[in-house]
Every structure is written in structure tokens, then in C-alpha cells.
Amino acid sequence: VYLNQHPLALDDPLRGGNLRLLTGPKVKQTAQLVESYNGTLLAFRNSKHAWHGFTPYSGERRAIQINYERPSLVPKGYYKMKNDKLQTPKQKP
């Protein structure tokens, strides 16, 4: 859910910041631009081909993001706490 009060500049590629649904792994492969403001909600099933991202942006970008993982699909011990921080095998300490 995006909570910005005003739209980010859709026609200004230097400002970026809007979420893009992609047809491939590169941000230039944009299929749909999602306006990131005023309660816009986007939900999709994540997979190895659910490409999404945004171009670099400098400024305030307000959003609430929720991820759900079924416990049966997450390997035991995948998530670990270290120094009060959640770490996964992909993160370096």
C-alpha cells in the first residue's frame, strides 16, 4: 500500500520511485508502471519470474509492505537472529 500524498513524476525517468512490473529481470523491461500514491495497492504471487522493481529515487517514498511465506516451504533454520537482527543466508553479518 502506497501512502504518498502526491504522485511521483511518472514522466520523469530521473526521479523514478514508482513500482514497475517487468517482463524480464531488467528495469528497462517495464510492462506496467504502478502509480505509488494515495492508497494504491498491488498484490502478486512471487515466483522466480515475478520480476518487479523501481528506478533510483531520491526523496520520501511511503509504503507498507507485507510478505507472507508458508512455514512448510521455508527450510528449518533459514531465519536466524544475530545481535537482535534477523538474518538469512544471503545476508552478510
Side-chain angles (χ1 to χ4, degrees):
V1 177
Y2 287 97
L3 304 173
N4 299 316
Q5 293 181 359
H6 304 286
L8 302 175
L10 294 176
D11 58 347
D12 185 353
L14 298 176
R15 287 197 54 202
N18 290 292
L19 183 65
R20 296 162 187 261
L21 301 177
L22 310 173
T23 59
K26 297 182 180 180
V27 176
K28 292 180 180 180
Q29 296 172 296
T30 300
Q32 182 72 42
L33 190 66
V34 179
E35 294 186 53
S36 306
Y37 80 104
N38 201 23
T40 300
L41 171 68
L42 176 69
F44 60 92
R45 176 177 245 163
N46 202 3
S47 72
K48 63 182 181 179
H49 298 293
W51 292 296
H52 57 286
F54 53 90
T55 56
Y57 177 71
S58 178
E60 191 172 81
R61 194 170 170 253
R62 296 180 176 199
I64 296 173
Q65 182 175 336
I66 300 172
N67 296 304
Y68 173 77
E69 295 179 352
R70 290 188 289 176
S72 62
L73 299 178
V74 178
K76 187 176 181 177
Y78 183 79
Y79 294 107
K80 296 180 181 179
M81 295 296 291
K82 185 172 183 178
N83 299 329
D84 295 326
K85 292 183 180 178
L86 184 64
Q87 292 191 334
T88 66
K90 295 179 183 179
Q91 295 174 326
K92 295 179 182 178

